[in-house]
Amino acid sequence: KAMTDAGTEDPRTISKTLKSLDHDALDIGLAACVQSGSNINVDIFKATPTAEKLTADTAVFSFGARYRSFHAVLARTLFVNTTRSQTEAYKALTEAHGTLLEGLKAGAVIGEVVKEARTILSKGVPGATIPECMGSGVGVLVEEPGLRLTEDNTRVIEEGMSFAVVT
C-alpha cells in the first residue's frame, strides 16, 4: 500500500517511502527463481530453478516479498532477438495482461475477467497452450487458493483484494 500511495512518477517520493519502511518486518515470501530456455514453468508459484545453463533467448525472473505479514510477487520475462511471431505473441500477451489488470476490480467475477483475457490470447496466438491459471490473489498467503485466476472461479472481487497477475 505504501508504494502504491507513493506513486511511481517521482523517484524521490519512492526513496522516502522505502526509507520509512520497517526493514525488520521485511522477509522473503517466495524464493527467487531464474529460468531460461525451452523448459520454463510459467506458474511462478510452483516454479523452481533448475541446474540447466541459462540461455540467451528467454529468461524469467520471479520473487516474492513479505512485509508485515502481507505478500507481494514480482516476475519479469526478458526476450532477446525475438522472431516476428514471438513479437506478435508478446503483443497479445501484453493486451491480455492489461485486460486482467483493468478487469480485476471490485464487483467483477474473476472467471469472467480471466475468460476475456484468455480469448485475447487464443485469438492473438492461435494454437498456443494457455495456462489454466493466470495468477492468484496475494495477501497473508503468497497464493490465496480461493482467488486463483481461472475461468471456473465464480468469486466476486471485493474492495481491497490484491492479485498477482501472471501472464
Side-chain angles (χ1 to χ4, degrees), residues 7 16 22 26 46-49 51 54 56 65 83 85 87 90-91 97 103 112 117 124 129 144 151 158:
K16 194 184 306 182
D22 176 4
L26 186 62
K46 294 180 176 52
T48 55
L54 297 177
T83 64
S85 64
T87 300
Y90 190 72
K91 286 179 184 175
H97 188 89
E112 292 173 8
T129 302
E144 298 283 352
E151 274 191 55
E158 299 171 25

Side-chain angles (χ1 to χ4, degrees), residues 34-38 40 53-61 76-82 86:
V34 178
Q35 304 176 83
S36 73
S38 60
I40 293 174
K53 288 185 177 181
L54 297 177
T55 62
D57 56 351
T58 305
V60 177
F61 305 91
R76 288 291 180 258
T77 303
L78 303 175
F79 298 102
V80 179
N81 296 326
T82 59
Q86 287 172 321

Side-chain angles (χ1 to χ4, degrees), residues 34-134:
V34 178
Q35 304 176 83
S36 73
S38 60
N39 195 20
I40 293 174
N41 182 351
V42 295
D43 186 345
I44 64 166
F45 300 109
K46 294 180 176 52
T48 55
T50 65
E52 288 183 44
K53 288 185 177 181
L54 297 177
T55 62
D57 56 351
T58 305
V60 177
F61 305 91
S62 60
F63 74 94
R66 182 174 60 228
Y67 183 70
R68 294 192 177 163
S69 301
F70 288 93
H71 289 85
V73 178
L74 176 69
R76 288 291 180 258
T77 303
L78 303 175
F79 298 102
V80 179
N81 296 326
T82 59
T83 64
R84 184 179 182 95
S85 64
Q86 287 172 321
T87 300
E88 292 303 314
Y90 190 72
K91 286 179 184 175
L93 192 62
T94 301
E95 183 181 350
H97 188 89
T99 297
L100 287 166
L101 292 178
E102 288 298 314
L104 294 171
K105 306 287 186 203
V109 176
I110 291 174
E112 292 173 8
V113 177
V114 171
K115 184 175 183 177
E116 185 178 351
R118 289 175 61 85
T119 298
I120 291 168
L121 284 175
S122 61
K123 286 180 183 175
V125 193
T129 302
I130 303 169
E132 178 185 329
C133 182
M134 301 184 91

